[in-house]
Amino acid sequence: MNYVYEYLKKMGYNINTEYYNKINNWIDIWKGEAPWLKVQTIDGDDYPMYSLNIAKRSCEDLSSMLTSENYDIKAAANDELLQQMIKDTNFLEQLSDNIEKIGYTGTIGTVVRIKNAKIIGDGEDAKLVKSGKTKTKVINLLANQIIPLRIEDNKFIDVAFVSEQIQDIDNKKVKLICLETHILKEKGYQISNIFFEKDTGNIMNLDNVLKTYNTLSCQPLFSIGKLPKLNPIENNMGLGIPIFGEAIDQLKILDLTYNNFGMDFKLGQKILLINQKLTRFEKYEDTDKDGNIVVKERIVYPQEIQKRLFTPIGDEMSQDGTQKPYIYEYNPDLRVGDNADGVQYSLDYYSFKIGYGTKYYSFSTSNGVTATEYIGNRQDLIANGNKNRKKIKEYLIGICKALLLSEKILGNSSIDETQAIEIPDVDNFLEDDGTVLERTQSEVAAGLMSLYTYLTKYKGLTEQEAIQEIELINNESTPIVKGEDE
């Protein structure tokens, strides 16, 4: 990758690469390979800690929350075309995975690429023309593949994307690194593709790829998605921070408490302690890691078959009652309740720190870790969930406009790539049905909502059914006045 940064440096961009080390560290944490889990014994042997890997679980839950309701997309002018492109590129089906990627890297980049188009002209005047094999694809890239080059008003203007490809060159499979730059010029975006041989860093010229072309539009062919959190890390280049980025200490404490929970069971076996007077030592030859023969000693127990059960202590027999007898049992206590409480407290602190509220996760020895179903009082979760969904909507709108622009580049000049793209808000997002019902009933009773709106919107009645229901309610509430003859 150094040759990529050197190439950008020649273009006038000095890239601070330190932040990418943090991104790679977050990816390791998501994989369950956090550095604090890699411990060793005093002999240098690997002795990994037990872990719940809650970092990945919280990213999965973020994805589940933000895709629990559909994103109904509608274009103002070219909706039929857009719906077909959404179907062809399949990007909504990829949304769940992309949100999880945002969760553990902080940022996702989606680039719209035109494949197998005819190229007319050369250099900056080159144009793309649709052929029978032309396809528009969306490519998703992680935060460590995104290099922001210029940001204005918190918006990504100029961006470079790095991806790996395999091409057939001279009848050989060659691994290539593609550097794709999107630079906003006076006439619109200029897109350039530079290929490096992965192993050597040599620039490769590919005949089937357009090196540079102008889109003639200020609308980018990419969209950047990230969480609505201000990144406190210096030199972040505008990239986002993962859902657990500010909760690393809480992750460490959680793994520590869960490891203690597991170790109590691992070490909680019965032990028979035996006086050394009842054992003997014998020497044997072994080979060390360098292949040298070394002489070692091992303990021989009264019954060799029970060597894993016996542990020697002391060197004197019990005479005056101050020492243990020749053999005695040790049965450790299993502190299941205390350890479970410790794990639960750690989960509460972690879920609070990532914005899910203090009681989002429930730990029990029978069911493991589960996300609690009741959402009613978890205002942190609902407030943050709505902010996150709003940010995802902006990301999706950017992809839709990029798709429309790709069709315009291929010759459909009637398309306005800046047209409005609507994704309606979802009422009562992340609230359970019981809470919604209770609140709406209170609003009807207080005169803040009409009975008609309540019946059609929250009870699912048709317009005619709602009118009939209101008539019945009004008739039942009308007092019956008895006549004089009755």
Side-chain angles (χ1 to χ4, degrees):
M1 282 291 291
N2 287 335
Y3 45 77
V4 171
Y5 300 130
E6 287 297 322
Y7 185 90
L8 290 172
K9 188 176 182 179
K10 292 178 182 178
M11 292 177 62
Y13 301 104
N14 289 314
I15 309 301
N16 189 324
T17 61
E18 293 181 3
Y19 192 73
Y20 294 103
N21 294 329
K22 295 184 181 295
I23 296 172
N24 293 330
N25 186 50
W26 292 329
I27 294 173
D28 287 341
I29 293 172
W30 170 80
K31 290 179 178 178
E33 299 172 359
W36 59 82
L37 298 175
K38 301 173 184 177
V39 296
Q40 292 184 328
T41 66
I42 57 175
D43 297 323
D45 296 327
D46 291 334
Y47 199 75
M49 292 172 58
Y50 294 112
S51 173
L52 281 172
N53 196 12
I54 201 67
K56 186 178 192 317
R57 173 62 187 272
S58 56
C59 294
E60 293 173 354
D61 290 337
L62 175 71
S63 176
S64 296
M65 280 185 269
L66 298 184
T67 56
S68 61
E69 301 287 348
N70 292 331
Y71 292 84
D72 297 321
I73 302 172
K74 185 175 178 61
N78 302 102
D79 188 58
E80 185 176 350
L81 171 63
L82 179 61
Q83 297 305 326
Q84 186 60 49
M85 298 188 80
I86 290 173
K87 181 179 179 181
D88 291 343
T89 56
N90 205 35
F91 80 83
L92 277 182
E93 279 69 24
Q94 302 169 26
L95 182 60
S96 179
D97 289 346
N98 285 344
I99 293 176
E100 183 172 349
K101 291 172 183 176
I102 293 174
Y104 68 85
T105 69
T107 315
I108 189 76
T110 297
V111 183
V112 173
R113 290 178 180 168
I114 300 171
K115 299 287 187 180
N116 303 320
K118 290 182 179 179
I119 303 172
I120 299 178
D122 296 317
E124 295 185 3
D125 296 326
K127 293 183 179 180
L128 300 178
V129 179
K130 186 180 292 188
S131 69
K133 295 182 179 180
T134 302
K135 287 185 178 181
T136 300
K137 300 186 70 176
V138 293
I139 308 298
N140 302 307
L141 301 162
L142 293 176
N144 56 0
Q145 299 174 278
I146 303 170
I147 306 176
L149 303 176
R150 179 161 64 104
I151 296 176
E152 294 178 0
D153 299 326
N154 294 321
K155 292 184 178 180
F156 292 81
I157 306 300
D158 299 343
V159 183
F161 300 97
V162 181
S163 58
E164 186 172 326
Q165 300 181 12
I166 297 178
Q167 294 269 2
D168 286 318
I169 301 177
D170 296 332
N171 297 319
K172 293 181 180 179
K173 298 286 186 182
V174 180
K175 291 183 179 179
L176 302 175
I177 296 295
C178 174
L179 174 63
E180 180 180 344
T181 60
H182 295 241
I183 309 294
L184 183 59
K185 303 280 188 175
E186 185 177 348
K187 294 182 180 181
Y189 270 95
Q190 183 181 87
I191 299 176
S192 300
N193 295 286
I194 303 95
F195 291 87
F196 304 88
E197 188 175 4
K198 184 177 180 180
D199 294 334
T200 65
N202 295 329
I203 294 178
M204 307 291 291
N205 293 316
L206 304 181
D207 296 333
N208 59 341
V209 177
L210 185 60
K211 295 178 182 178
T212 300
Y213 72 96
N214 293 320
T215 68
L216 302 178
S217 173
C218 294
Q219 171 63 43
L221 275 175
F222 63 84
S223 185
I224 304 295
K226 60 180 186 176
L227 298 177
K229 297 174 66 176
L230 190 61
N231 193 338
I233 301 174
E234 293 185 359
N235 300 318
N236 59 59
M237 299 178 292
L239 296 172
I241 188 169
I243 190 74
F244 55 78
E246 297 177 277
I248 299 300
D249 285 345
Q250 285 70 33
L251 281 174
K252 291 178 180 179
I253 293 171
L254 178 56
D255 282 339
L256 182 64
T257 55
Y258 185 69
N259 181 69
N260 201 57
F261 182 85
M263 290 301 293
D264 259 23
F265 283 95
K266 185 173 182 178
L267 302 177
Q269 305 172 54
K270 175 191 290 187
I271 301 174
L272 289 181
L273 298 107
I274 182 172
N275 194 287
Q276 287 187 1
K277 291 290 185 180
L278 301 181
T279 66
R280 66 181 176 84
F281 291 87
E282 70 176 19
K283 295 182 179 182
Y284 68 101
E285 291 184 347
D286 194 9
T287 304
D288 63 16
K289 61 181 181 180
D290 297 322
N292 300 318
I293 296 177
V294 294
V295 177
K296 295 183 179 179
E297 284 188 339
R298 70 184 185 94
I299 299 174
V300 180
Y301 296 91
Q303 297 180 30
E304 184 65 23
I305 196 172
Q306 293 182 321
K307 65 180 179 181
R308 294 186 180 275
L309 187 63
F310 286 104
T311 299
I313 60 168
D315 58 1
E316 297 292 339
M317 293 188 296
S318 177
Q319 298 291 339
D320 57 3
T322 59
Q323 291 194 19
K324 298 291 185 182
Y326 294 142
I327 301 174
Y328 70 96
E329 290 184 343
Y330 172 65
N331 295 290
D333 292 330
L334 295 179
R335 301 166 297 166
V336 177
D338 292 339
N339 282 320
D341 287 344
V343 174
Q344 183 62 61
Y345 288 139
S346 301
L347 282 169
D348 291 345
Y349 288 129
Y350 174 73
S351 62
F352 166 75
K353 195 65 184 271
I354 64 174
Y356 289 3
T358 56
K359 297 296 180 183
Y360 185 77
Y361 292 110
S362 175
F363 177 78
S364 68
T365 53
S366 58
N367 297 323
V369 177
T370 57
T372 52
E373 295 180 358
Y374 182 66
I375 299 180
N377 292 325
R378 289 184 285 164
Q379 296 303 317
D380 283 352
L381 177 68
I382 296 171
N384 288 314
N386 278 288
K387 288 193 297 183
N388 291 337
R389 186 176 169 92
K390 181 180 179 181
K391 205 68 176 177
I392 294 300
K393 284 170 55 178
E394 294 174 5
Y395 161 67
L396 293 177
I397 289 171
I399 297 175
C400 291
K401 290 185 176 183
L403 287 172
L404 291 172
L405 174 59
S406 70
E407 192 69 14
K408 184 177 182 179
I409 291 172
L410 289 170
N412 192 341
S413 59
S414 65
I415 293 176
D416 177 12
E417 68 276 15
T418 65
Q419 65 186 270
I421 307 292
E422 295 292 335
I423 303 178
D425 291 330
V426 177
D427 291 336
N428 311 309
F429 180 58
L430 290 182
E431 291 189 278
D432 66 292
D433 294 340
T435 301
V436 174
L437 183 62
E438 183 179 348
R439 187 180 66 250
T440 52
Q441 288 176 342
S442 299
E443 290 175 353
V444 171
L448 301 175
M449 180 187 295
S450 70
L451 187 56
Y452 173 82
T453 299
Y454 170 74
L455 292 173
T456 55
K457 191 170 184 179
Y458 296 101
K459 297 295 288 184
L461 273 63
T462 65
E463 180 179 348
Q464 187 61 35
E465 289 171 340
I467 292 173
Q468 293 175 352
E469 187 69 19
I470 292 172
E471 289 179 355
L472 288 172
I473 293 172
N474 290 335
N475 289 336
E476 290 179 356
S477 61
T478 302
I480 300 176
V481 181
K482 294 183 178 182
E484 294 180 356
D485 297 334
E486 295 184 36

